[in-house]
Each structure stands twice: as structure tokens, then as C-alpha cells.
Amino acid sequence: MNIDYELLQFYVYKKLIKKKQAEAILAECKRLHTPVREYLLTKEYVTEVAELEALSEYYCIPCAEIDMLDVDKALLNKFSFEFMKRHKFIPVSIDKNGVLLVAVGRPLDMNAMSAITAQFCTPIDTVLAPPGQIDRYIDSVTATISTSMALSDLNNEKDEKLFAEKDELSGGVFKQEDVINNPAVRLVDSVIKEAIPYRASDIHIEPFEKKVRVRYRIDGDLQERADFPIESYPEICARMKIMSGMNIAERRIPQDGRINMTIGGREYDFRVSSLPTVHGEKFVIRILDKSSFHFTRQELGFTEYENTVIDKMLARPHGIILLTGPTGCGKSTTLYSFLKEINDPTINIVTVEDPVEYTMAGINQTQVNAKAHMTFAAALRSILRQDPDVIMIGEIRDEETAEIAVRSAITGHLVFSTLHTNDAPGAVIRLEDMGVPDYLVADALAGVIAQRLVKRLCPACKKRGKTNAREMQILGIEEPVSIFRPQGCQYCNNTGYKDRIAVHEIMHINDKMKGIVAHEKNLEVLRKLAVEDGMVTLVDSCKELVLKGVTSIQEMVTLSAE
């Protein structure tokens, strides 16, 4: 355990963990016979990316994230993918001097280094990379190969009449054994699995007159992945419906389903929706990683000032905290981060969601079930008899839910929920439009947080330049300043952006704002008064990120147009 002890002390020195935690962590690692680094990652004391630079200094090895490396895929044929995943390494490239660069996740794995040396018989340089990224890269390569092979088999399949005959004879009903070994089956499976290493949030499978198109939504934008012959579509539909538990005989109405899969040791929940179109049923699959939730407020993009305001809101013993914004802007993720913060054995936290996106230890989570008449309002009435301290409502959709939520807040409960409004002041007007009296809205609201996601500029290729006259006008400045602009490279798939960050607009309902909320019915006036009270608008929050070089001015313009 000497190496583990030294590494733990180094983590303390680099302020990745606190000194008072080190002794308890070391004792627990000894008891479980677990390496310190593995324990810290499993228990989420650190993340792989956060520890990368510290480990680079500790092992005296340069470091890089996998996407920053230009991997020569021909070198991957020298080893089995299973062997590379087990030993956490990827051969990257051979330079003009014959030196092989290898990305390693475990610098002290001598078995891997011996195998690499025996295979290449050439000098070796190493670069430290996060093991999880190595796994995801290998998964993406294997999924791409699998997709290509299945697509090739599908295009080469000669007997296209087989499924048409079965469809005619069986009235459109396919049995699972009819499709399980078909190329289309393997194609659907690989398309779903391939989306994970691509960081896709949604998969779109769309039929057209002569082809079926597959697109992934990555960082908010749809990117085309592949297309298949339309003749294969009955098989694709059958496979999708069998996997998600839909009625495979029904083609005339929309359906919803769900797929649970474990990919790369992580549990994923795929929410599947079908919609009849003129050329067949379109499928959209929402991807949720149920086994991983470790976001902090800082990672979600909250500034120091915003955290101060949120601390005041979370310190309230009762009231409603609302998250607003369009679908897919991360409202639920932010709510979960708040729940994780306040989660404590001394309080009773109950949620009602549709669906439960992340499971969290110590929190009672309830799933809405419309077929069983388990609506948000019905669940809330029961929850109030469960002695809750904190209630999280997935979404306030109707008058009844809004009324129960407000009355829960004024009777001693802290309530979290979401609304679909464009900004924070709009939530006040929306509640009043739902029939909640203005004096109850003023009394119940603790605060409203409007949220949007903007794209981060790619750190590898973003380019600095002075603002022109038009950009100065957009930013509201009189003197030129340096900002960064998107370019495009291998690391960001030539988009100029990598990942997204949230911007926020926080309206804290203090004593001054209570009086304004209770009497002001005009949205523009309410917004102006909220700004005067200290609220930073979404556009101004985005402007700060532009000036800091985090995002582009194009993203600010897009946000302003909403």
C-alpha cells in the first residue's frame, strides 16, 4: 500500500481531496483490498478528467484526453479490443523516427508494456489518458465496425421478399425468432450502442421514400450517422418494437416504450417514441445514463454570485423553487443536483416524476403512470400524507398540480419543480394563468431559475481575435476586446464546439420581490424590476461566457433570438 499512500498524499497536496478524509479513505481501501485510485473514482471523490493533470505530474508523463489524439486505426489491429480494454491502452501513432506513441490509463501495467514492446519492437513513448475515455474510444470503434458490417450484410441481402411475405401471411405480426438473427437486428443494436461513445442525447431513425436515415443529437445538433435501404424498414420497426415492448402489430398510432441496457458496465435507460409518417414509423430514442450522476453546481455552470443566491433559496425551510426552460435544457439535471446537495438522513425527500431519470440513494422516487390514474396531482395528494420535508415534482402541467404544489409550499414543505417558460419572470405569470391567486404565488415562491444550454468552444481549435463593429454592437461595448471564434478540428468533429454549458437567470423572491409579484401583472415590468433587484438575464450571463472565451458570440445571438 506504499504506492497508494504516496498517491493519496499527492492528491491531498493537489487539493483533490481534503486532508481529513485521507486517513479514512486509506483504511477503507485496506479493508476492501481496493487500490486508492479505483476507490476514489468509484466513490466519486474525484473524476478522471479532474485528476488527469495531477497524475501526469505524479508519474512524470505528459497527459491528453483521447479525443485530442490522432489515433492511427491501423495500429489497433495489432491487439484484440478486449486486451486493450483490459489493460487500458491504445497505440496512437508512429512518428518519422519510428517511435510509437501509446495512450495508457495505467502507467504501471507492465504486462501491457511488455505486450506492446513484443509486438512493435520499437521505442515507445507514453501519454497518460483517462481510462474511461480509452474504454469509450474502443467501444466507439467496435460499434462503428459492427454497424458497418451489419449495413454491408443488409445491402447484400438478396432475398428481400422474405419479410414482405411474412407480413402478408401474418397480418404484420413478427415473431422475435424471425428477426433476432437478421442483419437489421444487428444494425439496430449497433446503432444504439454506437450512440454512447458519441455522447449522443437522442437517436432519430427516420423513414423516407427510398431510404431510412439515422441521426444522432450531439451537443444539441443533429448529425447524420448512416442511411439504410427502405426495404429493410419492416425489420427495423419490428426490432425496435420488440426491444422497447411496443405492440408490433400496431402501426397507425404513436407508441411509447422503454429499453434498459448495460453498455460498458453502465446502466442506460432508452425512452423510445414512435410516430406514424407517410413513409412509415419514425423512432426517436432518448438516452439516459441512470448509473452516473455526480454533477456539482460548478460543473453545471453556476457562477459564484449565482451560487450565493441559490444558497439563500435552498436555506428556506419552505417554498417553491422552480426551474424553467425548453425541453432538453437540463432542468431535471439541475434539480437532481440540488436534491443531492440537501439529501440527508434527517429529512424525508419524495419525488414524483415522469419518468424517473436518475435513481438516487436515500430519496423516495415515484413514477407517474397515466394508465393507472397515477397522475402528478394524484401522487402529490398521497405524498402529502407521507410526512415529506422536501417534494420534487417533475413538472407542473395543470391547474390542479399547480394548486397542490403552492399549498404544499405554504404549509411547510420545500418544493422543487419545473415549468416551460422562456424566462424566470414568466413563471410568475404562468402560475397566475393556471389559476393560482397572485398573493399565494408571492407567498409560496422562493425563487425561479431560467436555464439554457450553450455550446462550449472547442479548446483545441478556438481562435482568438478582436471584435468587429457588429460584434461590439451585439456585446454592447465601445472598445474592441479579444474574443474566441469557432474553427473546427478532429477533436470537435469539425464543428468548432465541444460539449455544452448552462447559462442561468435567477430571480430570488425576497421581501421586496414578494410585493412586486403580488401586484404586478405585466411581464415586461416584472422583468425590469427583477433586474433592478439584482437578477442577471440569460443574455447577460451568456455575454460573460463570450468575454471569457467559453462560448461564441453566435451562441449569444441565438439565445437573444429566443
Side-chain angles (χ1 to χ4, degrees):
M1 293 292 286
N2 289 336
I3 293 177
D4 277 350
Y5 178 78
E6 290 178 6
L7 181 61
L8 194 61
Q9 294 305 311
F10 189 75
Y11 275 43
V12 173
Y13 168 70
K14 299 299 289 185
K15 298 182 179 179
L16 291 174
I17 61 172
K18 296 177 181 178
K19 187 175 182 180
K20 61 183 180 181
Q21 296 174 317
E23 191 173 325
I25 290 172
L26 191 60
E28 191 68 6
C29 290
K30 287 180 179 179
R31 184 181 71 82
L32 298 173
H33 303 289
T34 302
V36 161
R37 185 184 177 198
E38 181 180 326
Y39 180 84
L40 292 175
L41 290 171
T42 302
K43 298 298 183 181
E44 298 180 355
Y45 283 96
V46 295
T47 64
E48 288 185 339
V49 174
E51 69 169 358
L52 188 60
E53 289 188 9
L55 283 174
S56 172
E57 183 179 338
Y58 180 78
Y59 289 116
C60 299
I61 301 174
C63 65
E65 295 189 48
I66 288 295
D67 287 344
M68 300 286 285
L69 302 173
D70 188 7
V71 179
D72 182 354
K73 291 185 173 61
L75 298 177
L76 300 178
N77 297 327
K78 300 292 185 180
F79 304 95
S80 72
F81 291 128
E82 182 183 352
F83 183 80
M84 288 188 288
K85 283 191 74 171
R86 185 165 66 248
H87 291 282
K88 300 292 183 288
F89 76 90
I90 296 174
V92 177
S93 59
I94 299 178
D95 67 15
K96 60 184 179 181
N97 298 318
V99 178
L100 172 68
L101 179 64
V102 182
V104 297
R106 297 174 184 160
L108 302 182
D109 189 338
M110 294 299 107
N111 289 332
M113 298 309 296
S114 297
I116 296 168
T117 303
Q119 182 66 46
F120 286 96
C121 300
T122 185
I124 296 174
D125 277 344
T126 56
V127 58
L128 187 66
Q133 291 187 8
I134 291 175
D135 286 346
R136 285 192 292 276
Y137 181 82
I138 295 172
D139 287 342
S140 71
V141 172
T142 54
T144 301
I145 293 172
S146 176
T147 302
S148 299
M149 291 176 63
L151 181 58
S152 177
D153 290 345
L154 194 63
N155 288 329
N156 293 332
E157 194 176 43
K158 301 299 182 183
D159 190 8
E160 295 178 351
K161 296 181 181 179
L162 175 63
F163 270 77
E165 292 171 357
K166 284 182 179 177
D167 189 23
E168 185 178 347
L169 292 172
S170 62
V173 178
F174 291 93
K175 296 179 181 179
Q176 186 165 359
E177 58 266 26
D178 291 333
V179 296
I180 196 66
N181 294 316
N182 193 272
V185 172
R186 294 189 285 112
L187 184 60
V188 171
D189 290 351
S190 61
V191 162
I192 291 175
K193 292 178 180 178
E194 186 181 0
I196 302 302
Y198 274 96
R199 301 178 297 104
S201 60
D202 301 88
I203 305 170
H204 291 240
I205 303 177
E206 306 161 307
F208 294 98
E209 185 177 1
K210 295 181 179 179
K211 68 176 184 178
V212 180
R213 180 175 66 180
V214 174
R215 294 187 291 173
Y216 293 158
R217 188 175 293 280
I218 303 171
D219 293 337
D221 292 333
L222 284 170
Q223 299 181 19
E224 191 162 342
R225 172 65 192 97
D227 57 70
F228 320 133
I230 191 63
E231 291 79 12
S232 66
Y233 203 56
E235 306 157 65
I236 292 175
C237 282
R239 179 58 177 167
M240 288 299 308
K241 290 182 176 181
I242 288 170
M243 291 179 72
S244 58
M246 295 181 184
N247 182 353
I248 61 176
E250 181 57 72
R251 304 174 180 179
R252 300 163 299 174
I253 62 174
Q255 295 188 68
D256 293 311
R258 173 171 275 171
I259 303 170
N260 287 297
M261 295 176 68
T262 300
I263 302 173
R266 301 168 79 98
E267 185 183 353
Y268 291 89
D269 184 29
F270 300 89
R271 290 155 52 190
V272 185
S273 172
S274 73
L275 179 70
T277 68
V278 292
H279 296 296
E281 293 172 275
K282 172 185 175 179
F283 291 90
V284 175
I285 307 170
R286 171 64 61 88
I287 303 171
L288 297 171
D289 182 355
K290 297 183 69 174
S291 60
S292 175
F293 185 86
H294 52 263
F295 294 108
T296 63
R297 278 197 242 161
Q298 184 176 4
E299 291 171 323
L300 293 174
F302 287 104
T303 64
E304 186 175 343
Y305 168 75
E306 289 170 343
N307 281 328
T308 301
V309 178
I310 291 171
D311 285 339
K312 293 177 183 177
M313 289 160 54
L314 294 180
R316 292 271 295 268
H318 56 81
I320 297 181
I321 298 175
L322 290 176
L323 266 291
T324 76
T327 300
C329 73
K331 300 188 295 295
S332 296
T333 300
T334 301
L335 280 185
Y336 278 115
S337 72
F338 292 165
L339 290 181
K340 185 178 179 181
E341 274 190 56
I342 65 175
N343 189 13
D344 186 273
T346 62
I347 63 175
N348 179 22
I349 303 177
V350 186
T351 76
V352 51
E353 308 170 57
D354 183 22
V356 174
E357 296 188 9
Y358 302 97
T359 55
M360 303 184 72
I363 294 178
N364 305 284
Q365 296 174 267
T366 305
Q367 173 88 33
V368 166
N369 187 341
K371 292 181 180 179
H373 305 291
M374 180 69 161
T375 62
F376 279 111
L380 275 174
R381 283 192 292 269
S382 297
I383 284 172
L384 291 174
R385 295 191 288 270
Q386 292 281 314
D387 185 32
D389 299 297
V390 177
I391 302 170
M392 196 271 265
I393 307 166
E395 183 184 346
I396 295 178
R397 297 178 178 175
D398 52 53
E399 295 180 14
E400 188 178 8
T401 305
E403 182 182 354
I404 297 173
V406 167
R407 295 197 180 278
S408 299
I410 62 177
T411 54
H413 305 91
L414 184 60
V415 180
F416 296 91
S417 191
T418 68
L419 271 179
H420 289 289
T421 62
N422 291 328
D423 57 10
V428 174
I429 307 299
R430 178 63 54 82
L431 287 175
E432 292 175 358
D433 288 344
M434 285 182 170
V436 181
D438 50 13
Y439 66 90
L440 285 182
V441 174
D443 193 30
L445 268 184
V448 185
I449 303 172
Q451 181 166 301
R452 295 291 190 281
L453 293 178
V454 297
K455 299 174 192 171
R456 289 180 182 266
L457 286 165
C458 172
C461 67
K462 64 181 181 181
K463 188 175 181 179
R464 184 191 293 270
K466 289 288 186 180
T467 51
N468 56 36
R470 173 60 178 157
E471 290 169 336
M472 290 167 58
Q473 181 183 2
I474 293 170
L475 291 170
I477 56 178
E478 298 181 357
E479 295 293 330
V481 296
S482 290
I483 61 172
F484 285 90
R485 298 181 176 89
Q487 298 297 308
C489 66
Q490 175 193 324
Y491 180 52
C492 61
N493 197 26
N494 293 314
T495 63
Y497 299 94
K498 185 74 172 180
D499 296 326
R500 291 184 291 176
I501 187 172
V503 292
H504 305 94
E505 176 179 283
I506 304 178
M507 185 172 74
H508 180 216
I509 310 299
N510 51 28
D511 291 338
K512 177 183 176 182
M513 285 301 298
K514 280 183 183 294
I516 295 171
V517 168
H519 298 97
E520 185 53 60
K521 303 293 188 297
N522 186 289
L523 179 59
E524 292 301 323
V525 175
L526 184 60
R527 184 183 294 114
K528 180 181 177 181
L529 293 172
V531 170
E532 291 176 358
D533 195 54
M535 182 183 80
V536 179
T537 66
L538 287 166
V539 174
D540 286 341
S541 295
C542 190
K543 175 183 173 180
E544 288 300 313
L545 294 182
V546 172
L547 296 175
K548 291 178 180 178
V550 176
T551 191
S552 69
I553 199 164
Q554 291 93 326
E555 287 292 286
M556 180 180 168
V557 171
T558 301
L559 183 63
S560 302
E562 291 186 4

